[in-house]
Amino acid sequence: MNAFDLKTFRYAGLSIMTVAVLSCGAALLTSAKADSPREDQTRYGLASGNGPLNTLLIHGQPTTPKIAGNSALFVQKIAESGNTDVVLLTSVGGQACDAQYSILQVTPNGIKTPTPFFGNCSTAKPSISGSKVTLEFPHNTGKYVTTPAEVDVYDLATGILTKNGKNIPAACKLDDGVCQG
């Protein structure tokens, strides 16, 4: 191999390595963002629980009203209904309460008033049937709290939230202008 071939080989190797490193870095950044429980993409921008003091941001902007989680705010888009994206917010708690949930509707004009944070401090996964979002919570026996099993249903069409079949307030009460989880 002459000097010219060696120099060309080094440049080609360096170029290939640079492209490989950049490609891997881009893939890692993309998957980290997509796998973050604190963020999810809506049709109207990225919904993120990474705002100051665990507040919700949509497309990088604070929501009105402000919505805040306890130790963290997880965000999961769970459905689309017409021009509305349905987002499940999870306020991660501490030792006494693992998590509480709120349902938020995101529209092209902003957000609708979120539900109050609800649940019995145990973990639940949403199921969706028609316009109803259901979360079933098992009996929770913890170190600091014991709560009975609970089934919460939110009707997207009417905005009614029920706990074990009984209506409960469907709009989050604000504490100093913030819907607290």
Side-chain angles (χ1 to χ4, degrees):
M1 192 178 265
N2 65 33
F4 177 75
D5 290 338
L6 187 57
K7 189 174 184 180
T8 303
F9 179 74
R10 284 185 188 151
Y11 283 125
L14 181 59
S15 296
I16 291 169
M17 185 188 311
T18 302
V19 169
V21 168
L22 290 174
S23 297
C24 289
L28 289 174
L29 289 175
T30 302
S31 64
K33 188 173 192 178
D35 292 337
S36 172
R38 295 182 76 140
E39 297 181 332
D40 208 348
Q41 187 65 47
T42 73
R43 291 178 286 176
Y44 311 109
L46 182 69
S48 171
N50 289 322
L53 301 174
N54 301 313
T55 56
L56 181 68
L57 305 174
I58 305 265
H59 203 57
Q61 300 300 312
T63 59
T64 302
K66 285 187 179 178
I67 304 166
N70 186 7
S71 298
L73 185 64
F74 291 174
V75 178
Q76 178 187 7
K77 179 179 166 183
I78 57 173
E80 291 180 5
S81 178
N83 69 346
T84 300
D85 286 359
V86 182
V87 176
L88 180 68
L89 302 173
T90 305
S91 174
V92 179
Q95 293 178 337
C97 186
D98 290 343
Q100 293 215 303
Y101 300 85
S102 176
I103 295 175
L104 176 68
Q105 295 186 45
V106 183
T107 72
N109 301 320
I111 65 168
K112 293 185 179 180
T113 303
T115 67
F117 281 87
F118 60 88
N120 70 353
C121 293
S122 59
T123 303
K125 290 187 179 182
S127 63
I128 301 167
S129 178
S131 70
K132 296 189 183 205
V133 178
T134 303
L135 286 100
E136 293 186 40
F137 299 93
H139 175 80
N140 184 12
T141 304
K143 183 175 180 181
Y144 299 102
V145 65
T146 298
T147 55
E150 176 179 318
V151 177
D152 294 317
V153 178
Y154 181 71
D155 189 321
L156 295 167
T158 64
I160 294 174
L161 179 64
T162 61
K163 174 180 174 177
N164 296 330
K166 296 180 182 172
N167 288 1
I168 60 175
C172 191
K173 289 185 179 180
L174 302 181
D175 182 14
D176 290 328
V178 179
C179 176
Q180 297 282 352

